[in-house]
Amino acid sequence: MKEIKVGLATCGIAAGGMLVYDELKKEIKNNNIEVELKKTGCMGMCYREVLVEVKDDSDSYLYANVTPDKVKRIITEHIINNKPVKEWIIKSKSINKEDAFFKKQKQIVLRNCGIIDPSSVDDYILNNGYKAIQKCLNEYSKMEVIDIIIKSGLRGRGGGGFPTGLKWKFANQAAGDKKYIICNADEGDPGAFMDRSTIEGDPHSIIEGMMIAGYAIQADEAYIYVRAEYPLAIERLSIAIKQCEERGFLGKNIFNSNMDFKIRIKEGAGAFVCGEETALISSIEGKRGVPRIRPPFPANKGLWGKPTNINNVETYANIAWIIMNGPEAFSSMGTEKSKGTKVFALAGKIVRSGLTEVPMGITINEIIYDIGGGIKDGKKFKAVQMGGPSGGCIPASMSDLKIDYDEITKTGAIMGSGGLIVLDETTCMVDLAKFFLNFTQNESCGKCTFCRIGTKRMLEILERITAGAGKEGDIQLLEELSYKIKNSSLCGLGQTAPNPVLTTIKYFRDEYEAHIKEKRCPAHSCVSLLTYTIIEDKCIGCTLCAQKCPVNAISGKTKEPHKIKQDACIKCGLCYDSCKFDAIEKI
Amino acid sequence: MTELKKSDFEKKTIVDFKRDLINKRKQHGSLIPLLQSAQDSYGYIPEKAIYYISELVGIPSAEIYGVITFYSQFRLKPLGKHVIRICEGTACHVNGAKTILRALQNELGISIEETTDDGFFTLLSVACLGCCSISPVIMIDEKVYGKLTTNMIKKIIKEHKKT
Ligand SMILES: Cc1cc2nc3c(=O)[nH]c(=O)nc-3n(C[C@H](O)[C@H](O)[C@H](O)COP(=O)(O)O)c2cc1C
Ligand code: FES
């Protein structure tokens, strides 16, 4: 029997996935055919959403950019008459098509994403689900499990890159009869969606990873801290947990092993700093999410003062695979100190934005060109931003850099949790630094003076630079403040907040100087430094720009060149975007 | 296989909030879930809910107020009928979120954190909706709209005005 799957993660639904799903359902019913119609998670190619996969006994065919009106043809030609609609298929063995997007990928974390129905525990079980936890319970001692994870070389995927096995060992050795497991699904980096996609596509893999961690450190209670902006992820996790409870996978005496394990979901309440582990714990305890000094580390003193192991979503999603395939299979991938794979959320000025899982050691170039298809609209590649507000920009000239925790740290950026924002020539680096500073300044919890006030002063300097009022010495002042904030902040938020500024100064100092000395934005992006003018020779007087202008700053007679009143212009760019004759100039 | 429906996790009513108050008051760390429950029920956190919670959980109302203002999710004012969240995350920022924001402001006549006079729309900003691959993005109530252009904004708002 044929099987049809529709990718219905948040991105798929936003692209109209439910409409396609309903149409498929209707057509299947109308034609009275026997096929299995399934919902699944993110297939990774968000840029080609809605994605529909048709599977028969011998092959699978991936249809991209499906709209409700394409459904009829797929059903009649492919499902009923066995003739795949070749021109809409982007991936299939038998018609020799494999989209380049998938070629360099290696899927461990995303092994089930876009393949199984995330709200079906049976689907997960059919794909080797919950075998790893049973293997641990039946065959391995707690220390053996920890040794396997240590040997695999897995490092925390939440940004810090701390060896996971070692962390488990500390929590295992910590004294106390009550211990906790926490999964950090706060995903605060604006521009990252790996954890959301993983949860939406395969919630059980995270639950299983947490169970194994629970076994290894002897914890019987766990929390998943999910940001409230992810309603679908929360819903799918709730369903998954409920199903596990019904099956006896969660609760008392799980898998008849004498182990008790309970998982609760805690919804975040919208504070970036709560992604930091000690702040997160404080937030679960119902308090303001303010970080505290470490040590003691959560492994010794965590939730309610008890030993606690906290890992990221992606870290947990790796665990069951490592147990089933052995640590060597995992450590055979990657570089000397960074093993396995990493999931990246590709976004920004890139042709194929989406979710991609690649082996460590691949170069940034390979990700951007081979997987991501290069820069959108034929523009020039300028830099990638990695690590969000704690990270930095790596310039195009260094893009043969290998994906490796330590190599990336050397550039001044960080691996981070996997947000990879691609920037082109139209992105102003000073503006981007300002964007991140604005973010961290808002999100600083206020505890440390330098983080609270220092970031504010830095933001003010960046604001005046982008407004054309930058002063000689501003760059030095930014650098000085950066080092002070880094050295005198308690948690990672403040310690890393200056990174976006420092890396852009390091690699794009000339842009800062152009703003300050020449009052010019080389990327033509800083509004205050722009002027729009109409090129008389090119303007045919079609009046379109005058109609679009929201402040009536453009005047002129029909069929005669128009003019922009500079003092009325708010520089919104609507005229520039609407002109069909390239008659408006932006300088 | 157990079929679970979305309705199992649907929005709360005031009765649910009162039930949550009773059930959760003794749980460790129940303050934030209770505030979330109050907000789900009323659409915001009314002053009287703060006093209820304070009395039941035994935390001073000033401390509760401190928690409410710490987290951006909590609101002390009622929301409009439709809540529009505009993403100002990195991907959306580099893909023109500012232009979208301007279009929204023009269309609605309000700025971020404000509600229209007819009580139809509240405009809020969020740091990232996790749909960066289809940026720029807005979310109206629980529905996400991606790959936006200024022209689409007009249409989307019009659609919502009808309902
Ligand atoms: C300001 C700040 C924000 C953070 N946000 C996140 C986050 O959103 N998700 C996450 O997994 N880790 C985040 N972390 C890292 C956590 O503190 C912690 O290191 C991580 O959850 C440990 O898991 P891992 O070892 O599996 O990476 C953040 C750290 C800081 C300092
Ligand atoms: S940056 Fe807007 S959805 Fe992520």
Side-chain angles (χ1 to χ4, degrees):
Chain A
M1 189 169 70
K2 289 198 185 79
E3 191 182 84
I4 306 180
K5 293 188 225 172
V6 188
L8 289 171
T10 299
C11 39
I13 293 175
M18 277 317 288
L19 299 175
V20 171
Y21 182 84
D22 291 341
E23 189 68 23
L24 280 164
K25 204 165 162 182
K26 200 178 93 197
E27 282 298 318
I28 291 171
K29 200 164 156 238
N30 286 351
N31 289 294
N32 208 1
I33 30 180
E34 238 186 75
V35 288
E36 197 180 349
L37 180 63
K38 269 187 171 177
K39 295 179 184 176
T40 185
C42 181
M43 304 188 191
M45 305 170 98
C46 311
Y47 66 103
R48 279 204 158 146
E49 217 86 64
V50 177
L51 296 162
V52 173
E53 190 185 353
V54 176
K55 248 175 127 166
D56 56 28
D57 300 329
S58 54
D59 199 1
S60 92
Y61 309 82
L62 188 61
Y63 286 92
N65 303 99
V66 182
T67 48
D69 51 308
K70 286 185 179 170
V71 165
K72 202 168 200 139
R73 190 162 157 213
I74 297 177
I75 293 283
T76 23
E77 291 186 21
H78 192 165
I79 307 295
I80 301 178
N81 296 324
N82 283 320
K83 287 207 183 78
V85 189
K86 283 185 187 164
E87 68 259 40
W88 294 342
I89 291 173
I90 50 164
K91 191 181 160 205
S92 143
K93 273 191 281 245
S94 54
I95 43 181
N96 214 0
K97 267 193 187 179
E98 180 170 15
D99 197 277
F101 186 77
F102 293 100
K103 262 197 190 139
K104 295 215 161 161
Q105 299 204 39
K106 166 76 198 158
Q107 308 211 305
I108 295 178
V109 172
L110 304 177
R111 58 190 180 275
N112 293 324
C113 271
I115 294 171
I116 66 166
D117 175 351
S119 37
S120 158
V121 64
D122 293 307
D123 246 20
Y124 181 67
I125 293 172
L126 275 177
N127 285 277
N128 280 328
Y130 293 115
K131 283 208 180 117
I133 175 68
Q134 297 188 60
K135 192 168 179 183
C136 291
L137 290 169
N138 298 329
E139 293 172 29
Y140 297 134
S141 70
K142 299 176 172 25
M143 272 323 286
E144 278 169 338
V145 173
I146 292 174
D147 277 339
I148 291 174
I149 302 302
I150 291 180
K151 247 196 232 143
S152 74
L154 175 66
R155 294 169 70 170
R157 300 295 194 238
F162 191 81
T164 306
L166 215 53
K167 205 187 239 183
W168 291 15
K169 196 169 166 186
F170 294 147
N172 171 291
Q173 288 167 346
D177 44 11
K178 180 80 192 174
K179 295 181 185 176
Y180 292 97
I181 293 289
I182 296 176
C183 172
N184 188 342
D186 197 40
E187 194 155 67
D189 170 4
F193 52 94
M194 309 73 52
D195 294 351
R196 171 184 69 72
S197 305
T198 313
I199 298 174
E200 286 178 359
D202 192 15
H204 287 285
S205 70
I206 297 144
I207 295 176
E208 188 172 5
M210 292 174 73
M211 285 175 180
I212 295 170
Y215 171 69
I217 74 156
Q218 230 168 333
D220 63 350
E221 255 191 276
Y223 288 91
I224 306 178
Y225 190 90
V226 197
R227 53 195 305 239
E229 286 89 344
Y230 290 178
L232 189 62
I234 294 172
E235 182 185 319
R236 295 212 171 137
L237 271 174
S238 311
I239 294 175
I241 291 174
K242 209 160 174 180
Q243 289 172 335
C244 285
E245 286 168 353
E246 285 166 1
R247 298 287 171 107
F249 298 174
L250 283 173
K252 294 240 173 282
N253 191 19
I254 64 169
F255 300 103
N256 295 319
S257 65
N258 286 329
M259 175 178 162
D260 298 343
F261 201 64
K262 196 160 83 185
I263 299 182
R264 289 206 191 91
I265 298 175
K266 281 272 173 178
E267 272 184 50
F272 171 66
V273 72
C274 286
E276 197 279 334
E277 52 193 28
T278 61
L280 186 148
I281 288 171
S282 162
S283 176
I284 295 184
E285 291 171 352
K287 296 184 264 190
R288 288 164 70 102
V290 178
R292 61 159 177 77
I293 290 182
R294 299 176 306 173
F297 285 92
N300 292 308
K301 245 175 163 254
L303 190 59
W304 322 114
K306 307 284 187 219
T308 301
N309 178 69
I310 171 163
N311 281 121
N312 164 263
V313 169
E314 192 182 328
T315 314
Y316 284 125
N318 273 300
I319 303 293
W321 190 93
I322 296 174
I323 299 286
M324 295 309 290
N325 295 276
E328 294 79 17
F330 191 81
S331 61
S332 68
M333 280 175 277
T335 61
E336 198 197 331
K337 285 189 178 156
S338 306
K339 304 294 188 191
T341 60
K342 179 78 197 87
V343 182
F344 286 103
L346 268 182
K349 310 283 183 131
I350 186 143
V351 175
R352 304 184 194 134
S353 57
L355 202 64
T356 165
E357 183 171 357
V358 291
M360 296 272 191
I362 192 172
T363 65
I364 292 178
N365 262 331
E366 283 173 282
I367 297 181
I368 292 182
Y369 289 101
D370 298 345
I371 296 173
I375 309 299
K376 254 199 311 216
D377 305 327
K379 294 260 170 33
K380 229 171 92 192
F381 172 37
K382 187 170 187 176
V384 279
Q385 209 286 339
M386 285 182 79
S390 309
C393 292
I394 300 173
S397 60
M398 291 171 72
S399 58
D400 52 359
L401 190 83
K402 284 195 164 74
I403 298 293
D404 171 290
Y405 284 96
D406 310 284
E407 291 294 314
I408 293 173
T409 308
K410 273 188 218 153
T411 66
I414 59 165
M415 172 85 88
S417 54
L420 216 156
I421 310 266
V422 180
L423 311 169
D424 70 7
E425 55 193 317
T426 62
T427 318
C428 169
M429 303 313 269
V430 189
D431 176 71
L432 193 74
K434 181 179 82 175
F435 166 81
F436 281 116
L437 245 280
N438 185 29
F439 180 84
T440 34
Q441 200 271 320
N442 266 325
E443 296 292 343
S444 165
C445 77
K447 187 166 177 167
C448 309
T449 316
F450 265 97
C451 175
R452 182 181 70 240
I453 303 173
T455 53
K456 178 119 190 120
R457 292 292 96 83
M458 282 180 75
L459 179 62
E460 284 164 6
I461 298 171
L462 290 166
E463 272 168 354
R464 75 169 175 247
I465 295 178
T466 51
K471 288 188 254 185
E472 195 74 38
D474 273 353
I475 300 179
Q476 290 75 7
L477 201 54
L478 282 173
E479 285 173 327
E480 193 189 321
L481 276 167
S482 292
Y483 292 115
K484 289 194 173 143
I485 294 169
K486 268 173 156 313
N487 290 331
S488 55
S489 297
L490 180 132
C491 87
L493 190 144
Q495 286 162 7
T496 58
N499 286 351
V501 178
L502 287 176
T503 51
T504 45
I505 292 182
K506 182 168 165 190
Y507 301 115
F508 300 95
R509 201 183 183 96
D510 52 332
E511 276 194 40
Y512 279 83
E513 283 170 349
H515 282 76
I516 297 172
K517 293 187 184 140
E518 301 161 38
K519 311 290 174 216
R520 182 173 67 82
C521 173
H524 301 305
S525 146
C526 290
V527 172
S528 318
L529 303 178
L530 286 181
T531 21
Y532 289 93
T533 37
I534 293 176
I535 308 166
E536 271 190 34
D537 297 346
K538 286 193 181 171
C539 179
I540 62 149
C542 73
T543 75
L544 187 62
C545 58
Q547 290 167 34
K548 290 269 172 192
C549 179
V551 292
N552 296 325
I554 304 179
S555 56
K557 289 201 186 101
T558 316
K559 296 198 178 144
E560 279 174 27
H562 281 45
K563 247 196 155 62
I564 302 177
K565 271 192 245 103
Q566 292 302 338
D567 48 350
C569 174
I570 56 162
K571 300 171 186 180
C572 67
L574 282 177
C575 55
Y576 181 83
D577 293 338
S578 65
C579 181
K580 295 194 175 94
F581 305 95
D582 290 328
I584 296 175
E585 198 178 27
K586 179 162 91 167
I587 18 174
Chain B
M1 185 193 118
T2 2
E3 265 283 336
L4 280 171
K5 286 191 299 293
K6 186 164 180 190
S7 55
D8 293 349
F9 302 97
E10 250 177 12
K11 282 240 145 40
K12 294 188 168 162
T13 63
I14 293 168
V15 181
D16 293 323
F17 168 55
K18 298 218 162 126
R19 201 184 49 225
D20 276 352
L21 267 178
I22 307 296
N23 292 342
K24 290 191 173 158
R25 75 193 151 175
K26 291 239 170 71
Q27 272 174 29
H28 259 350
S30 59
L31 179 57
I32 292 173
L34 280 176
L35 290 171
Q36 283 166 336
S37 175
Q39 179 148 309
D40 280 349
S41 314
Y42 295 97
Y44 72 111
I45 301 174
E47 203 176 317
K48 60 174 190 251
I50 301 180
Y51 295 128
Y52 280 151
I53 295 174
S54 165
E55 212 163 280
L56 272 169
V57 196
I59 297 173
S61 48
E63 200 177 316
I64 298 183
Y65 185 77
V67 170
I68 293 175
T69 50
F70 182 85
Y71 294 101
S72 62
Q73 185 195 13
F74 295 129
R75 315 188 43 80
L76 292 159
K77 277 194 286 187
L79 291 171
K81 189 170 170 207
H82 297 294
V83 178
I84 306 178
R85 283 167 223 271
I86 172 153
C87 177
E88 297 192 285
T90 321
C92 291
H93 178 79
V94 300
N95 277 325
K98 270 194 199 138
T99 330
I100 299 298
L101 175 61
R102 212 177 300 118
L104 272 172
Q105 286 172 334
N106 278 345
E107 202 57 31
L108 300 169
I110 50 170
S111 315
I112 285 177
E113 290 289 316
E114 290 179 352
T115 303
T116 50
D117 289 338
D118 58 7
F120 245 76
F121 297 103
T122 299
L123 185 58
L124 300 177
S125 111
V126 292
C128 174
L129 290 168
C131 305
C132 323
S133 53
I134 48 170
S135 55
V137 173
I138 61 170
M139 182 154 108
I140 302 190
D141 304 325
E142 299 222 322
K143 191 166 182 233
V144 175
Y145 296 83
K147 295 190 184 163
L148 290 170
T149 58
T150 41
N151 285 338
M152 285 162 75
I153 293 291
K154 272 203 174 115
K155 241 192 261 158
I156 294 170
I157 298 294
K158 219 183 206 166
E159 261 168 40
H160 279 80
K161 269 190 185 152
K162 285 188 220 144
T163 52

